[in-house]
Amino acid sequence: MHFKKLAAVAASLLLSLGLSLPAQQAHAEAQKTKYPIILAHGMAGWDEIAGLDYFGNELGVFALDGCQLLEINGCNDDVSGSQMAEAFQVTSLADSETRGTQLADKVQSYMTTKGVSYINLVGHSQGGFDIRKAAHLLKSRKGYTVVNNLISISSPHRGSPYAKKLLDKYALNGSSFCWNLAWDGTPANDPCGVLITKIADVLFDAVNQQSVTTRNNIIAAGKQLVFNDFDAKDGVTTGAKAFNAKYNLKNSAGAYVATRFRSLITAQDDGNRNPALSALHTVLGYNADGDGYCAGDCDNDGAAGTGDGSVYDMDDDGLVGVNSQQMGGRLQYNSILGFLDTMTETTVTAVDDINNPSSIAMTSQTAIIKQDHLDVVGVGPDTFDELEFYAAINHYIAKAGG
């Protein structure tokens, strides 16, 4: 466990006893970005609920809440106290056309309130789709490139095999079982449909109600993360492939929608994954083999690429394969004991066309962060220092002039 995580636990214990540690100012090396950073959550995510931030540590500290002079609340002393950063709630379970539009609307309002003309977007998981959609909309609305840095973390840009496995198992390719969910209060006439509707409603009531009006749709959310159109008979084209063609790094006029595109890639071996992810694999009876090259979905598992023959190496993070996660250039996360962690560029071939990555981009394990899909957003148990990780992203953007 990292020193800061131990220190945070100690601070929590002291606070529970009515005591506190001395307040700290931001680390002397912490840099403030030129433009605000907006964080976009993944599927079934939230911004802040019950005092816990999606982008934070297990104690609920928002990862980009910099420490100010004499601050007594939880903060990140590797981030400048004047750093501008925010995380916005979008509908937890929806497609990224919906979520990305909501994000763009909220970012635009935020920019007006703060009086800023540019922004940085960082998205985890499905948030990586959402920030691309938002970047396209913001450029179209404003008439210039609004987004400076667009960074995805653990994002299934070319699909997730687990999304397709879940839909195949419980949706039965369009039959009434767990599929035709009515959102007017009358669920489908089957037990699984009732259960899924209730789960989605609970998530909506607990998380979304105060900030968005679009109801959850767990099926639409799942179909977003399958590479190809999941059901050719449902009258709508879905999936990552179609979304990527519409919301690539460039708009229809051939202009980039952000100044810089980067991605961070996660993978973990089977013995170190979150128990919830291990349970999912047990239920599905499936482990992804996600580090083989193929531009399309050659093995029909729901994600572009194929396998290399070994399902037990560091080829996926429990939800997303290595061959799906790179967009733009690939960053290396460097955890440095006693100093600010850093993000550095790698020489792995950049992915300029998301649907047509190079074989190296789909198979290379260079710069993989050895964590599962949930570790990087503070869902324990883990020993990952989320505050240092996001501080490193913040520092990278500041050094890049964002």
Side-chain angles (χ1 to χ4, degrees):
M1 180 176 288
H2 291 185
F3 172 77
K4 285 194 175 178
K5 184 160 286 190
L6 287 170
V9 172
S12 178
L13 291 173
L14 286 172
L15 287 172
S16 70
L17 296 173
L19 304 173
S20 64
L21 292 174
Q24 300 182 62
Q25 286 182 272
H27 194 290
E29 297 178 69
Q31 293 190 26
K32 175 185 174 183
T33 63
K34 188 175 181 181
Y35 311 115
I37 298 176
I38 303 299
L39 301 168
H41 65 74
M43 179 187 289
W46 62 92
D47 54 354
E48 184 273 337
I49 185 170
L52 296 175
D53 284 274
Y54 183 92
F55 291 99
N57 62 10
E58 288 87 343
L59 299 177
V61 176
F62 180 49
L64 293 183
D65 179 13
C67 293
Q68 301 185 45
L69 184 63
L70 301 180
E71 183 168 358
I72 60 174
N73 296 319
C75 58
N76 187 347
D77 66 356
D78 282 336
V79 174
S80 168
S82 57
Q83 173 65 44
M84 288 192 291
E86 188 61 80
F88 290 123
Q89 178 69 56
V90 297
T91 300
S92 292
L93 298 168
D95 59 76
S96 285
E97 288 279 2
T98 300
R99 287 164 48 110
T101 300
Q102 292 174 353
L103 180 61
D105 293 344
K106 294 190 174 193
V107 168
Q108 194 166 347
S109 295
Y110 176 87
M111 291 173 66
T112 299
T113 299
K114 297 295 184 182
V116 297
S117 298
Y118 299 92
I119 210 82
N120 299 290
L121 297 178
V122 178
H124 172 251
S125 192
Q126 190 183 353
F129 286 96
D130 303 342
I131 58 177
R132 280 194 276 129
K133 166 76 176 184
H136 275 259
L137 287 178
L138 290 168
K139 184 176 178 69
S140 175
R141 293 172 182 178
K142 296 281 191 178
Y144 63 92
T145 304
V146 175
V147 179
N148 196 300
N149 291 274
L150 190 148
I151 300 174
S152 68
I153 305 168
S154 312
S155 292
H157 294 295
R158 287 172 289 279
S160 165
Y162 297 102
K164 185 174 186 296
K165 292 297 179 182
L166 282 167
L167 288 171
D168 285 342
K169 187 175 184 69
Y170 295 113
L172 297 183
N173 294 314
S175 74
S176 62
F177 184 65
C178 293
W179 185 264
N180 297 311
L181 307 184
W183 301 101
D184 59 358
T186 306
N189 294 319
D190 61 77
C192 190
V194 172
L195 176 61
I196 290 178
T197 302
K198 287 183 177 179
I199 291 172
D201 281 343
V202 167
L203 283 171
F204 171 78
D205 291 337
V207 180
N208 297 152
Q209 197 169 34
Q210 302 304 315
S211 55
V212 294
T213 57
T214 303
R215 298 298 298 271
N216 285 279
N217 188 328
I218 196 170
I219 301 302
K223 289 159 83 171
Q224 174 70 74
L225 306 187
V226 178
F227 183 67
N228 291 317
D229 183 16
F230 183 74
D231 186 352
K233 300 177 182 179
D234 64 0
V236 59
T237 301
T238 62
K241 182 179 180 180
F243 186 89
N244 295 341
K246 192 173 182 180
Y247 304 109
N248 212 327
L249 307 192
K250 298 179 180 179
N251 62 16
S252 57
Y256 285 103
V257 297
T259 302
R260 186 177 294 102
F261 299 86
R262 297 292 185 269
S263 51
L264 288 155
I265 296 175
T266 51
Q268 186 66 288
D269 61 56
D270 287 353
N272 293 297
R273 287 178 180 151
N274 184 285
L277 298 179
S278 296
L280 174 65
H281 297 176
T282 299
V283 168
L284 294 177
Y286 175 78
N287 278 290
D289 185 4
D291 57 353
Y293 174 70
C294 176
D297 184 1
C298 292
D299 50 8
N300 195 35
D301 69 348
T306 185
D308 66 354
S310 175
V311 299
Y312 295 110
D313 57 354
M314 300 282 290
D315 56 22
D316 76 282
D317 64 7
L319 288 178
V320 188
V322 168
N323 50 20
S324 187
Q325 294 183 45
Q326 187 171 336
M327 168 210 66
R330 184 183 297 198
L331 292 177
Q332 167 85 53
Y333 172 49
N334 310 292
S335 181
I336 308 170
L337 184 64
F339 296 90
L340 277 177
D341 292 351
T342 64
M343 297 286 175
T344 52
E345 305 285 349
T346 70
T347 59
V348 178
T349 306
V351 177
D352 200 58
D353 180 352
I354 299 178
N355 281 335
N356 291 285
S358 69
S359 61
I360 294 297
M362 294 189 82
T363 61
S364 173
Q365 295 195 356
T366 298
I368 287 176
I369 302 169
K370 297 180 180 179
Q371 302 293 325
D372 69 41
H373 195 79
L374 301 177
D375 289 341
V376 292
V377 290
V379 179
D382 65 69
T383 59
F384 191 65
D385 196 323
E386 297 83 9
L387 299 190
E388 290 200 3
F389 175 70
Y390 288 97
I393 293 175
N394 185 97
H395 194 64
Y396 167 80
I397 293 173
K399 288 182 66 178

